[in-house]
Amino acid sequence: PAMTREWDAKSYDELPLPHVGWGRRTIERMTLRGDERVLDAGCGTGRDAAELLSRHPGVDLVGIDGSSQMIAQARERVGSGAAFAVRDLTEPLDVAELGARPGPFDAVMSVACFHWISDHETLFAHLAAVLRPGGRLTSDSGGEGNIENVERAIAAVNAEGFAPKAFASPEETREHLERNGFDVDRVALRPSPIRLDDPDVMERYLATVCLGSYLERMSEQEGCEFTRAVREAMVEPVLDYVRLEIDAVRR
């Protein structure tokens, strides 16, 4: 079975996250009327859900995430304005179980989630299955070249050869979408670097957002030393994010 990742939701929320800007851009690209049924796929701590509802309070919003800590934080933040559920996007979704108004969704939004899922064919098939024909998918996630400088620093610290992570390219994303029920308006990469000059903030950021899969195998002391070593191995205090933006319509 696919294992979804558990997150320290509180630490995550306290960081200077570029995700806030990515979320706003995604919401603006959705061009909602304001009464749609919307699925927030990989909703995290509910930050984008809260932003969406502040702009469009009449939306029927359902947020899903694989992390129960994230969902707990989202419920606390958004309250009864939206429905939240722990779900795995690699498993089929049942619209009858999601939200107060069962039935297909008019729109799916997703911010900083899809790159955690390796099988995009299955992901897009599951999202197409819960969207009505003409419904829109609007998303932001890590794209080809994303945080490559962090990956290079990790490889240097671990004395391993550097192999870039398999972040999706626009070409393969377009193919996956078109094969699984979507017409593509736009798929594009957008460089979105973030500079964190304060070493403590950079280390907190790396530990919470980038290094989780390494740190869970280490003691606290080893984890601190590893995180510091990765920061010091970075050529400059910049996370070189590259975003993959999708605007597609369910056929």
Side-chain angles (χ1 to χ4, degrees), residues 64-140:
I64 58 173
D65 200 277
S67 161
S68 55
Q69 272 200 40
M70 289 286 202
I71 288 292
Q73 189 98 338
R75 283 192 181 122
E76 196 173 305
R77 170 182 259 149
V78 179
S80 59
F84 292 99
V86 178
R87 289 289 185 281
D88 183 342
L89 286 165
T90 64
E91 302 289 334
L93 300 166
D94 182 351
V95 286
E97 294 179 346
L98 295 172
R101 218 161 74 194
F105 289 92
D106 301 304
V108 173
M109 66 183 269
S110 185
V111 181
C113 166
F114 290 172
H115 53 269
W116 295 105
I117 296 165
S118 54
D119 181 355
H120 282 188
E121 292 272 347
T122 299
L123 167 68
F124 294 142
H126 290 163
L127 294 176
V130 297
L131 265 171
R132 65 168 174 79
R136 300 187 67 83
L137 168 63
T138 312
S139 76
D140 154 283

Side-chain angles (χ1 to χ4, degrees), residues 37-215:
R37 179 163 153 79
V38 176
L39 179 67
D40 184 355
C43 65
T45 62
R47 179 190 53 244
D48 304 308
E51 177 73 21
L52 181 77
L53 289 168
S54 75
R55 297 177 186 220
H56 303 292
V59 158
D60 174 37
L61 183 62
V62 177
I64 58 173
D65 200 277
S67 161
S68 55
Q69 272 200 40
M70 289 286 202
I71 288 292
Q73 189 98 338
R75 283 192 181 122
E76 196 173 305
R77 170 182 259 149
V78 179
S80 59
F84 292 99
V86 178
R87 289 289 185 281
D88 183 342
L89 286 165
T90 64
E91 302 289 334
L93 300 166
D94 182 351
V95 286
E97 294 179 346
L98 295 172
R101 218 161 74 194
F105 289 92
D106 301 304
V108 173
M109 66 183 269
S110 185
V111 181
C113 166
F114 290 172
H115 53 269
W116 295 105
I117 296 165
S118 54
D119 181 355
H120 282 188
E121 292 272 347
T122 299
L123 167 68
F124 294 142
H126 290 163
L127 294 176
V130 297
L131 265 171
R132 65 168 174 79
R136 300 187 67 83
L137 168 63
T138 312
S139 76
D140 154 283
S141 59
E144 197 172 33
N146 190 52
I147 59 167
E148 201 165 282
N149 67 327
V150 179
E151 298 294 332
R152 284 184 187 281
I154 292 168
V157 170
N158 286 337
E160 294 167 351
F162 169 69
K165 267 213 176 114
F167 287 101
S169 70
E171 296 72 29
E172 66 188 311
T173 301
R174 183 178 286 272
E175 281 175 25
H176 290 153
L177 285 161
E178 287 173 347
R179 275 204 295 268
N180 288 285
F182 287 96
D183 290 325
V184 177
D185 285 346
R186 175 179 161 274
V187 179
L189 294 176
R190 180 202 286 260
S192 187
I194 172 177
R195 186 176 185 96
L196 297 175
D197 283 307
D198 181 329
D200 290 341
V201 174
M202 177 62 91
E203 285 179 27
R204 278 212 316 279
Y205 192 103
L206 288 170
T208 307
V209 181
C210 306
L211 303 178
S213 59
Y214 298 93
L215 301 182

